[in-house]
Amino acid sequence: MHILIDIGNSTVVVAIANQEGNITDNWRFKTRKEETVSFFRYELKQGLRKYGVDLADVESVTISSVVPEVDDDVAQAVNDLTGIDPHFFSIDDAQGLISINIESPSQLGKDRLADALGAVACYGAPAIVIDLGTATTFGIIDENRTFQGGLIIPGVKTSLNALSQRASQLPSVSLGTPGNIIGRNTLECMQSGILYGTASMIDGLIDRLLKTLPESVHIVATGGMAKNIVPYCSHPIVLDKHLLLKGLFQATHRK
């Protein structure tokens, strides 16, 4: 089996994949920059124990990270538990799978790159990949499997938290499902605004992007907030919560 780790700004996602790259189990915990190796070792150990992973069966560990401050601690925790030095996913892993046509390829986030690889490998090109996490990102892959760039927008919870913090009369609210689009109180107004507003933004951006791409484009969404937003979108969007992890596996375990 293989361990795949996605270190994001808000959470660390750990997944177990079989030889075919299918995700069999996964868990997540908060990304804490101030913590030490012992914290990450404990969180990894808890998940491995919960899912009955025999460490002797672990063949490889691959990590995608956008939080370099914790990379060394996570790598040490992995080595302490498995005896394996993890492979950190990089732009070199994409060679032969997709091309990259942006001004500074080295600045492309590893999460966006893994998303693009997962979309092309699992659904084909051209593709629009939407990742709704701490930031909402769009990645565009053309019909020649070339990553052409995209967009970066404040994420759903990021926007909601900023609204509560900067407007003194607006409370801190959880993301719920409003009764209808017209809110009847402050809570409903904020929930409706963030859900329908984000969905409308995504639909509007897709409309604009489709003018630059062939008609047979695949639209795939992933990320922690995707399940909350995609149902409110008008465009047909495939929801794949494991897209990034699938991209990691394809890049580092292709035959």
Side-chain angles (χ1 to χ4, degrees), residues 101-156:
N101 182 31
I102 60 176
E103 290 185 359
S104 300
S106 62
Q107 295 181 3
L108 178 61
K110 304 303 184 298
D111 51 349
R112 298 180 68 200
L113 179 58
D115 283 341
L117 291 173
V120 170
C122 298
Y123 301 98
I128 298 172
V129 185
I130 308 162
D131 193 325
L132 291 106
T134 303
T136 295
T137 65
F138 280 67
I140 313 304
I141 306 99
D142 69 15
E143 63 273 22
N144 297 315
R145 299 165 68 101
T146 299
F147 184 89
Q148 295 287 3
L151 304 91
I152 301 176
I153 307 140
V156 175

Side-chain angles (χ1 to χ4, degrees), residues 31-46:
T31 305
R32 297 189 185 275
K33 297 179 184 179
E34 72 280 5
E35 290 289 353
T36 62
V37 174
S38 60
F39 166 79
F40 295 102
R41 185 169 53 238
Y42 172 81
E43 293 291 349
L44 289 170
K45 188 175 183 179
Q46 288 294 101

Side-chain angles (χ1 to χ4, degrees), residues 3 194 196 208 226 253:
I3 297 176
I194 199 70
Y196 288 106
R208 290 174 179 263
H253 296 90

Side-chain angles (χ1 to χ4, degrees), residues 163-222:
L163 189 62
S164 300
Q165 293 168 6
R166 298 301 297 269
S168 59
Q169 291 188 324
L170 294 181
S172 177
V173 300
S174 59
L175 190 66
T177 303
N180 57 66
I181 192 170
I182 302 175
R184 300 296 300 275
N185 55 56
T186 301
L187 173 62
E188 288 183 354
C189 287
M190 293 176 70
Q191 291 175 334
S192 180
I194 199 70
L195 286 172
Y196 288 106
T198 303
S200 296
M201 175 196 69
I202 288 173
D203 280 328
L205 288 174
I206 290 174
D207 286 336
R208 290 174 179 263
L209 291 168
L210 288 177
K211 295 177 182 178
T212 70
L213 295 167
E215 292 183 4
S216 57
V217 62
H218 305 278
I219 307 175
V220 189
T222 191

Side-chain angles (χ1 to χ4, degrees), residues 217-253:
V217 62
H218 305 278
I219 307 175
V220 189
T222 191
M225 300 307 300
K227 65 182 182 299
N228 300 93
I229 301 299
V230 168
Y232 293 91
C233 294
S234 299
H235 283 282
I237 302 173
V238 175
L239 185 59
D240 189 337
K241 65 180 181 179
H242 295 316
L243 186 68
L244 186 154
L245 299 166
K246 292 176 180 177
L248 276 187
F249 185 89
Q250 290 295 326
T252 55
H253 296 90

